[in-house]
Amino acid sequence: MSISLKKENKPLLVGLTGGIGSGKSTVAKVFESLSVPVFNSDTVAKSIINNDEEVIAQVITTFGAIYENGKLNSNKMAEVVFNDKTALKKLNNIIHPKVADYFKRWVEENASSPILIKEAAILIESGAYQQMDKIILVTAPEEIRIERVVQRDNVSEDKVKGRMQAQLSDEEKLTYADFTIDNGGKELIIPQVMEIYNQIKKP
């Protein structure tokens, strides 16, 4: 009896993903406004790569002088990994086990919440989707995504396209998704989030 109760009270783990420039962070903020805790994998990964001494040592051993003044030169790293899938895989193998550990502890700390969201750009590519109960995919037309990232990161279109090629396409990700949110500008975000929230929240 106690085992079934424990399972019943286990939070629903929801993966939130989308290609670069899709606007998944905007969707995450709407869920946060509904008091749903959100774990931002990309933010945690950036913190780890800049502060975890073990990770820093591994990154330097693998990629050389990639840090400047104690911080990762993210533009330099992007040049390396987004043009070389082997290099990207090496970086992910260093970072993602650590992110997974952080997420596991975070879930334990927030176990009283009925829904927990893991926001991650490469949720599917990394295999982390397998730990999720539901997957939400945020989509937007490629030209809109490129425009957003060019303005946000002050990078060229070619660099954005290179980053896109390192991720699965929306079409490939759709096969993993339980829900989709259209963030191309024609549909309002909040009603779409509310519809999903009402479907996944426990009575």
Side-chain angles (χ1 to χ4, degrees):
M1 185 70 176
S2 60
I3 294 174
S4 64
L5 280 173
K6 190 176 181 183
K7 282 187 177 177
E8 197 177 312
N9 293 331
K10 180 178 174 283
L12 185 77
L13 301 182
V14 180
L16 175 62
T17 193
I20 185 170
S22 61
K24 63 188 180 303
S25 295
T26 302
V27 173
K29 285 174 185 171
V30 179
F31 275 108
E32 284 179 325
S33 74
L34 296 168
S35 300
V36 178
V38 176
F39 179 91
N40 187 312
S41 301
D42 301 337
T43 300
V44 171
K46 284 175 186 172
S47 176
I48 289 170
I49 206 167
N50 280 303
N51 297 294
D52 187 304
E53 290 181 7
E54 183 186 352
V55 167
I56 291 169
Q58 285 181 279
V59 170
I60 291 171
T61 301
T62 307
F63 298 101
I66 207 90
Y67 287 83
E68 291 179 9
N69 301 318
K71 293 292 178 187
L72 182 81
N73 184 325
S74 54
N75 289 331
K76 198 173 179 181
M77 179 60 86
E79 289 286 337
V80 174
V81 299
F82 290 120
N83 292 308
D84 182 347
K85 287 188 177 180
T86 303
L88 182 60
K89 189 174 181 181
K90 286 179 181 176
L91 179 63
N92 287 340
N93 287 342
I94 294 170
I95 302 298
H96 288 296
K98 290 276 188 177
V99 174
D101 288 342
Y102 275 71
F103 178 66
K104 187 179 178 182
R105 288 199 296 271
W106 180 84
V107 169
E108 290 168 358
E109 289 164 4
N110 291 277
S112 61
S113 295
I115 302 168
L116 296 176
I117 287 181
K118 182 178 188 178
E119 178 191 348
I122 56 169
L123 184 81
I124 294 162
E125 292 90 334
S126 68
Y129 74 92
Q130 294 170 326
Q131 282 79 51
M132 301 295 108
D133 298 309
K134 298 290 180 184
I135 306 290
I136 300 170
L137 174 64
V138 184
T139 67
E142 190 173 291
E143 62 272 16
I144 292 176
R145 291 168 53 201
I146 291 170
E147 187 180 330
R148 285 172 182 165
V149 181
V150 166
Q151 291 181 356
R152 183 190 72 195
D153 296 348
N154 195 26
V155 292
S156 69
E157 280 191 25
D158 286 342
K159 285 187 178 178
V160 178
K161 287 177 181 176
R163 294 181 192 181
M164 283 181 168
Q165 286 170 4
Q167 299 178 348
L168 293 175
S169 67
D170 283 352
E171 289 73 25
E172 290 170 304
K173 289 177 181 175
L174 274 170
T175 60
Y176 298 87
D178 298 288
F179 306 98
T180 59
I181 290 177
D182 182 348
N183 192 24
K186 292 181 180 178
E187 302 283 337
L188 294 173
I189 291 294
I190 292 175
Q192 293 182 80
V193 172
M194 288 305 302
E195 186 176 341
I196 294 170
Y197 175 71
N198 288 329
Q199 286 186 57
I200 63 176
K201 72 178 180 180
K202 294 179 181 178

